[in-house]
Amino acid sequence: MITNLLVANRGEIARRVFRTCRELGIATTAVHSDPDAGAPHVREADAAVRLPGAAPADTYLRADLIVRAALAAGADAVHPGYGFLSESADFARAVLDAGLVWVGPPPAAIAAMGSKTAAKRLMAEAGVPVLGALTEPTEADLPLLVKAAAGGGGRGMRVVRGLAELPGELAAARAEAAKAFGSDEVFCERYLPAGRHVEVQLLADAHGTVWAVGDRDCSLQRRHQKVIEEAPAPGLSAEVRSALHAAARTAAGAIGYTGAGTAEFLLAEDGRFFFLEMNTRLQVEHPVTEAVTGLDLVALQIAVAEGERLPPEPPATDGHAIEARLYAEDPAADWRPATGTLHLLELPFPYQEFTGTGLRLDSGVAAGSEITPHYDAMLAKVVVRAPTRAAAARRLADALARARVHGPATNRDLLVRALRHPAFLAAELHTGFLAEHAAELTAPDTEGVERAALAAALADAAGRRGALPSGWRNLPSQPQLKRYRAEDGTETAVRYRLTRTGLVAEGHPEVELVEAAPDRVVLAEGGLRRTYRVARYGDRVHVDTPAGGTALTALPRFPDPTVRTDPGALLAPMPGTVLRVAAAVGDTVTAGQPLLVLEAMKMEHRVTAPADGTLVDLRAAPGRQVETGTLLAVVQPAEA
């Protein structure tokens, strides 16, 4: 029987496992890098062990340090969480060799699924449909998807639409795969732009019982990483669902699988499906399956590791659940990750953390957490279960819109719009959904920003002047001026006066001020009142309404005329590490040509030439750490 469990990971999965351990009466041990010393998962564990290392993210990938930490803490079992070590057969063997219980599948099963190419061959032999790897792609095979053989999570994946692009994309994929997974093996397969990503949750014990615990649709993705997932997968016929579940059980049986895992498939428009990979671990999206089955998959993982038998059949699903991943990133800026302090993460309705079948929040951060470039950009997963899919989508969109998320930029608005999009509600799902509807999902809300800026200005005035309205004069005067910058970089100037007859705001002729306080402003227009909740952190202002939130940066009243940026200067858009440089000083470059690649939050980001011209300065070198705003390169535009 397990008495003390160490989780070999951080963030929300560590907190999720600890939640179940508390209910089971199992002591918990956390591990942490130096930046994570005060993280929520460390504070909640019964004991914590520091992992030494210069690179914070890499410390969690050191199997030897993890095993040593477990033994030092007196743990008798290790749960791998998500991530690289969770699918490392060598790590599983090291845990078992140390005399510890491994809460995961057998090392042999992990090894069998460790290479996507080898796994495809094995599945084909077992009779599971696969999409074959292409050794010599031709024009007829286009478009192609380049994939890393040893890992997932979107890393090392590239879509190739022309054969001329293939050599460069293969090289880039190999470099990313080697860094992320320790293997540069990649392969090509056909890319189905309208395909759906559907997966089956598996759970198997050591006594021969294999459950297919329902299915999920995970088609809404950005950069081949999941953003919105739901269970059950909508629109599947009874025949397709039954065949998917059977194929997943066959896959598990073929490798002697035990524990929790996921068989992932690509579903074509004609109903055919193809095996993609098996994730030999708990998935990030497991909460939607828990919500519709009432199961605790972590508790079942532990039970299987302790040798218990599963019942002959899993419970049936009830209702529909949808999960949205809240990321610190800007979807309108090519999903650029954001860093900084998370001041507030607050849902508007009662919810449960890491459990429950209503509104659920799984998060690895809390108010005051620092969002750094070292780890994945996910802040939280918000999950809703309802009797129907339409009800779940509506409730989740409403909960996200009303949530107060103060800190770095997030994808919250995109999530809300996607959940309310007619194509999503009609279950017209495919892996290119977000790209296809990008213009609608990321369009700036100009009117909303302008009203939020007005509310921010009035709240600021109330804070500065108390009960006396700022800008009030016996005689007519110049309007008050406040300037704000929105997340997309656009600037808004607010000009207003508070007169004897009320508010006079340029651009808002019908708006009336009902009341103003430093944290709350009420405006009316045409008899309709709206309340704006305002919070300020330094020059950062967050304005929240039931319809959504707006983040603004307060600017000086008058721009500094001495501040100037060379139009050809390329500044680092985020803190990160320079991975590769693709050009040299003196090179002639064209607009959009990649010049270098930055890595931040487990993602690669290309820095491209802003215009045709000559690269006259290059200050980036592989391995260099840069902060936001660091000068990376200068392109001198070509003469017209």
Side-chain angles (χ1 to χ4, degrees):
M1 180 177 291
I2 296 171
T3 61
N4 186 328
L5 181 73
L6 179 144
V7 177
N9 212 315
R10 63 180 300 279
E12 56 95 9
I13 181 54
R15 298 184 73 196
R16 165 71 188 90
V17 176
F18 293 161
R19 171 72 168 76
T20 290
C21 286
R22 286 194 293 272
E23 291 191 350
L24 297 177
I26 297 174
T28 56
T29 299
V31 291
H32 67 87
S33 64
D34 288 339
D36 278 346
H41 80 277
V42 177
R43 296 198 301 265
E44 292 174 5
D46 296 315
V49 180
R50 172 181 176 267
L51 300 177
D58 293 342
T59 60
Y60 291 99
L61 305 181
R62 288 280 302 277
D64 57 332
L65 297 181
I66 301 289
V67 172
R68 192 182 308 159
L71 295 174
D76 48 20
V78 172
H79 189 297
Y82 311 142
F84 182 69
L85 284 184
S86 66
E87 296 182 283
S88 169
D90 290 340
F91 179 50
R93 293 189 190 99
V95 169
L96 293 170
D97 289 345
L100 302 168
V101 175
W102 169 250
V103 184
I110 298 175
M113 294 292 104
S115 166
K116 290 185 176 66
T117 50
K120 283 174 178 276
R121 289 192 294 268
L122 183 60
M123 291 299 101
E125 292 171 1
V128 178
V130 300
L131 203 60
L134 301 169
T135 55
E136 295 184 7
T138 67
E139 290 285 347
D141 298 316
L142 294 173
L144 303 171
L145 186 61
V146 178
K147 302 175 73 173
R155 310 212 61 185
M157 294 181 70
R158 302 286 192 281
V159 175
V160 177
R161 303 186 186 280
L163 292 182
E165 307 168 20
L166 186 56
E169 296 293 5
L170 284 172
R174 288 192 184 101
E176 186 178 7
K179 180 174 176 57
F181 311 117
S183 169
D184 67 354
E185 182 186 355
V186 298
F187 66 96
C188 297
E189 65 184 19
R190 286 175 54 220
Y191 176 58
L192 304 183
R196 289 174 58 183
H197 186 120
V198 178
E199 57 191 36
V200 177
Q201 175 68 58
L202 292 164
L203 195 71
D205 62 22
H207 308 283
T209 300
V210 180
W211 282 1
V213 195
D215 43 73
R216 302 184 284 253
D217 188 287
C218 307
S219 297
L220 267 66
Q221 305 176 1
R222 56 92 165 106
R223 292 192 170 188
H224 312 293
Q225 292 181 316
K226 302 164 188 174
V227 175
I228 294 177
E229 305 103 340
E230 55 184 303
L236 300 186
S237 68
E239 293 77 15
V240 169
R241 176 165 278 121
S242 177
L244 273 170
H245 291 197
R249 287 192 296 267
T250 297
I255 59 173
Y257 200 83
T258 61
T262 302
E264 301 196 353
F265 298 90
L266 185 65
L267 181 65
E269 291 180 277
D270 59 7
R272 292 182 301 153
F273 60 84
F274 307 94
F275 174 85
L276 289 175
E277 62 181 312
M278 181 183 288
N279 281 297
T280 52
R281 56 175 170 83
L282 201 64
Q283 289 283 85
V284 178
E285 58 272 20
H286 75 273
V288 291
T289 295
E290 292 184 325
V292 296
T293 60
L295 295 172
D296 182 332
L297 292 175
V298 173
L300 289 169
Q301 280 186 298
I302 293 172
V304 168
E306 291 180 327
E308 293 187 22
R309 291 179 178 270
L310 295 172
E313 297 292 335
T317 60
D318 179 27
H320 200 94
I322 306 178
E323 170 182 293
R325 301 191 193 188
L326 184 68
Y327 285 105
E329 65 185 14
D330 184 354
D334 194 28
W335 311 98
R336 183 174 65 209
T339 59
T341 302
L342 179 68
H343 300 288
L344 182 66
L345 176 57
E346 179 182 276
L347 292 186
F349 310 118
Y351 62 90
Q352 293 178 278
E353 286 191 290
F354 305 106
T355 187
T357 56
L359 178 62
R360 167 174 168 172
L361 176 71
D362 285 23
S363 178
V365 296
S369 291
E370 195 67 22
I371 310 305
T372 72
H374 304 307
Y375 310 114
D376 183 85
M378 190 172 73
L379 300 178
K381 303 178 306 194
V382 184
V383 187
V384 163
R385 181 208 162 273
T388 66
R389 182 176 185 269
R394 181 168 58 194
R395 292 181 187 178
L396 181 55
D398 187 55
L400 287 166
R402 294 174 183 269
R404 303 187 77 194
V405 187
H406 298 173
T410 73
N411 66 335
R412 187 257 299 271
D413 289 348
L414 174 132
L415 295 173
V416 172
R417 293 179 183 182
L419 290 164
R420 290 173 173 168
H421 196 282
F424 178 83
L425 296 175
E428 296 170 2
L429 309 174
H430 55 87
T431 56
F433 183 96
L434 295 182
E436 178 182 331
H437 301 288
E440 304 159 76
L441 300 179
T442 63
D445 179 10
T446 304
E447 182 179 353
V449 169
E450 290 177 351
R451 289 296 169 85
L454 176 60
L458 295 170
D460 181 59
R464 292 174 184 272
R465 301 295 295 272
L468 181 64
S470 174
W472 189 90
R473 299 288 187 277
N474 283 316
L475 300 173
S477 63
Q478 292 295 316
Q480 297 291 299
L481 170 65
K482 297 186 186 299
R483 298 170 55 250
Y484 298 92
R485 183 173 59 242
E487 295 282 31
D488 63 0
T490 59
E491 295 186 8
T492 298
V494 179
R495 294 180 174 85
Y496 71 93
R497 287 185 293 120
L498 294 171
T499 70
R500 294 177 180 179
T501 58
L503 173 70
V504 177
E506 293 184 13
H508 307 279
E510 304 299 323
V511 175
E512 302 174 21
L513 174 60
V514 179
E515 62 178 271
D519 61 350
R520 184 173 182 270
V521 171
V522 181
L523 302 175
E525 184 175 8
L528 181 65
R529 290 189 178 191
R530 288 188 173 87
T531 299
Y532 299 80
R533 300 174 69 184
V534 183
R536 183 159 184 163
Y537 311 90
D539 62 358
R540 186 83 164 166
V541 186
H542 289 269
V543 182
D544 296 300
T545 74
T550 301
L552 302 167
T553 300
L555 301 174
R557 183 175 180 182
F558 300 106
D560 184 349
T562 64
V563 176
R564 177 180 175 274
T565 301
D566 190 309
L570 294 171
L571 308 181
M574 73 211 62
T577 304
V578 178
L579 286 184
R580 296 185 296 277
V581 174
V585 172
D587 285 358
T588 299
V589 298
T590 57
Q593 177 181 332
L595 302 181
L596 57 99
V597 177
L598 288 177
E599 181 185 49
M601 292 181 166
K602 296 186 177 181
M603 294 174 65
E604 292 191 2
H605 306 271
R606 295 181 178 183
V607 176
T608 61
D612 295 351
T614 303
L615 183 61
V616 296
D617 192 4
L618 180 63
R619 304 188 184 184
R624 181 188 175 191
Q625 303 283 328
V626 298
E627 297 298 324
T628 302
T630 300
L631 179 63
L632 300 174
V634 177
V635 174
Q636 180 178 312
E639 295 183 5

